[in-house]
Amino acid sequence: EMGAAGRVVTLHDVFALDDGADGSDEWKAKMADRYQEVAERTDLVLCVSAWTRNRFLNHFPEVDVKRVRVVPPGVAPEFSPEAGKDVPAIRKTYDIEGPYALFLGVLNRRKNPGVLLDAWARLPEEAGGLVLAGADGGLFQPLLEHAQDLKLGGRVQFIGHVDDAHVPALLAGATCLVMPSRLEGFGLPALEALACGTPVVHSGRGGLREAAGMQGFEIDCEDPEAIAAAVLRTIDDMQTRDRMVEGGLAYAARFGWQATA
């Protein structure tokens, strides 16, 4: 009818429709109904990445492609090298000593944090510690036991869910962000890390190539040897690190919320 409001929906992913997706059958059925409603009833579908857009259109080929557009998330101004001034306070808050790489995300199968423990078992102590920040998605206890089996001791630290206000400094203080995800609709922490001047080691799966913009080290997310080697390069190869930091800052600068809006 004339004057009716347009119906616009933002899609972050369509994981529930993929074969082998995590989650109960009930949840997957509920999400499938929601996606179906989005396909049938919305005037415009905004997808956070080209990868998510393509996945949605693969599942719903009847949808007019002109109704489905890519609008990436933005980076808040707090994510900048300036966040480095808060690093000492953040270290104190979470009792973090020495150099550390950061994993940021729910501890679940899709985010794949377990492979990082195997990577750290291959790294020399001088490479620093691994800080895992994120809520328990069912893997905390198995990860804790695996870290003990690998005799990682104080080199691996679980700090749980962190306050949003602490995230920029945690990223700015890290030697690198590690994202060995099996799948991401976009992968915003990668972009936020680049905005803080922190290199990213990531799997390139799903939307991560768009989030990291080919600025980080892309690794096989099931290969701890390759992850360990990439982490070492972000620390030891200063020429490569400087190039990654510079390229990352320039790439992230294109993603302000003003541009997204």
Side-chain angles (χ1 to χ4, degrees):
E1 67 189 81
M2 291 293 286
R7 287 169 300 222
V8 182
V9 169
T10 298
L11 278 185
H12 291 267
D13 61 69
V14 286
F15 297 153
L17 299 179
D18 291 335
D19 293 336
D22 288 338
S24 67
D25 290 344
E26 184 186 9
W27 176 77
K28 285 188 269 194
K30 183 176 78 172
M31 292 304 294
D33 287 343
R34 284 189 182 173
Y35 293 133
Q36 188 69 50
E37 193 175 1
V38 168
E40 291 174 2
R41 299 189 55 223
T42 55
D43 299 300
L44 188 63
V45 182
L46 306 181
C47 296
V48 295
S49 64
W51 186 87
T52 292
R53 178 181 187 268
N54 292 340
R55 296 299 297 154
F56 177 68
L57 289 170
N58 282 347
H59 285 295
F60 299 100
E62 71 278 10
V63 174
D64 181 355
V65 295
K66 294 193 189 78
R67 281 175 50 215
V68 189
R69 299 187 198 167
V70 177
V71 179
V75 178
E78 303 90 274
F79 293 93
S80 83
E82 286 294 302
K85 70 184 188 309
D86 300 318
V87 171
I90 283 297
R91 284 183 172 278
K92 201 170 175 185
T93 299
Y94 294 102
D95 199 20
I96 300 169
E97 293 179 14
Y100 67 94
L102 181 68
F103 168 91
L104 184 64
V106 179
L107 303 177
N108 65 19
R109 200 177 69 85
R110 182 170 62 79
K111 299 283 186 182
N112 195 27
V115 72
L116 297 179
L117 301 185
D118 294 316
W120 252 255
R122 291 163 166 78
L123 283 168
E125 290 208 23
E126 307 83 77
L130 169 67
V131 172
L132 295 110
D136 182 12
L139 288 186
F140 172 67
Q141 199 56 41
L143 287 170
L144 196 59
E145 290 169 12
H146 192 43
Q148 288 165 351
D149 291 343
L150 292 170
K151 297 183 171 49
L152 286 170
R155 294 178 62 201
V156 174
Q157 193 174 345
F158 297 88
I159 62 173
H161 174 74
V162 298
D163 191 297
D164 285 350
H166 295 169
V167 173
L170 270 175
L171 285 169
T175 52
C176 64
L177 175 74
V178 279
M179 287 189 75
S181 308
R182 294 186 170 108
L183 213 49
E184 290 285 349
F186 181 72
L188 187 56
L191 189 57
E192 291 171 338
L194 296 180
C196 291
T198 298
V200 178
V201 174
H202 68 94
S203 66
R205 298 274 189 96
L208 268 169
R209 283 183 179 169
E210 294 167 71
M214 309 305 284
Q215 299 300 322
F217 279 128
E218 189 174 315
I219 44 80
D220 177 349
C221 65
E222 308 298 349
D223 185 349
E225 203 75 60
I227 294 169
V231 168
L232 267 184
R233 279 196 70 192
T234 68
I235 299 165
D236 291 346
D237 185 342
M238 290 315 291
Q239 196 173 356
T240 297
R241 183 182 179 86
D242 289 348
R243 193 172 68 242
M244 290 171 81
V245 169
E246 191 181 338
L249 288 170
Y251 184 71
R254 294 159 46 185
F255 288 85
W257 276 114
Q258 194 65 36
T260 291

